[in-house]
């Protein structure tokens, strides 16, 4: 995990553990990590949801609600230059589907009448 994502993750857990939720939690994370974007906060939320050490149901529910609320913030926004993932890289599933899909230039079979 990158250092930046780890700081956002820790701020998210600290705020949720203190009982913050919704806008208060989002603001808390932004105060601790001023350069955090909605995209980074959503990704840190997903890390927290998959962390086996986080077991408090209320904390998990709060983090989940924040991730859902801010998921749409990242749609349509410019790509994050700090993000280490390559947005041009296709997922393995899409690669498989493209290989299986018939090409548009392939001749179609005649259907009997």
């Amino acid at each position: 995990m990158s250092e930046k994502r780890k700081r956002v993750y820790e701020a998210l857990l600290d705020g949720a553990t203190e009982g913050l939720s919704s806008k208060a939690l989002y603001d808390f994370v932004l105060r601790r990590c001023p350069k955090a974007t909605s995209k980074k906060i959503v990704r840190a939320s997903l890390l927290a949801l998959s962390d086996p050490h986080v077991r408090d149901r209320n904390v998990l529910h709060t983090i989940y609600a924040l991730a859902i609320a801010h998921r749409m913030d990242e749609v349509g926004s410019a790509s994050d230059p700090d993000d280490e993932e390559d947005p041009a890289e296709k997922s393995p599933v899409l690669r498989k589907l493209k290989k299986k899909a018939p090409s548009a230039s392939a001749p179609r079979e005649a259907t009997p009448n």
Side-chain angles (χ1 to χ4, degrees):
M1 176 181 339
S2 73
E3 187 62 33
K4 292 176 187 178
R5 191 171 294 166
K6 185 175 181 180
R7 283 190 307 223
V8 173
Y9 169 80
E10 289 171 352
L12 187 65
L13 282 179
D14 290 346
T17 302
E18 290 177 14
L20 300 175
S21 63
S22 187
K23 178 80 172 132
L25 178 57
Y26 186 78
D27 291 341
F28 177 82
V29 172
L30 287 180
R31 278 193 307 275
R32 294 239 330 239
C33 306
K35 293 185 179 182
T37 61
S38 287
K39 184 175 184 175
K40 287 180 184 177
I41 292 172
V42 169
R43 288 191 177 186
S45 299
L46 295 176
L47 286 172
L49 292 171
S50 63
D51 186 349
H53 297 104
V54 180
R55 295 187 178 148
D56 185 339
R57 175 178 286 247
N58 293 328
V59 169
L60 290 170
H61 182 12
T62 300
I63 291 171
Y64 176 75
L66 181 73
I68 294 299
H70 290 279
R71 170 60 179 90
M72 293 309 292
D73 289 349
E74 70 186 51
V75 175
S77 66
S79 64
D80 187 357
D82 292 334
D83 193 12
E84 61 265 357
E85 293 180 22
D86 181 8
E89 182 179 316
K90 295 180 182 156
S91 71
V93 173
L94 290 178
R95 279 190 225 128
K96 285 182 182 179
L97 289 175
K98 279 196 163 197
K99 286 181 183 177
K100 288 182 180 179
S103 68
S105 61
R108 292 186 181 169
E109 293 181 24
T111 55
N113 291 343

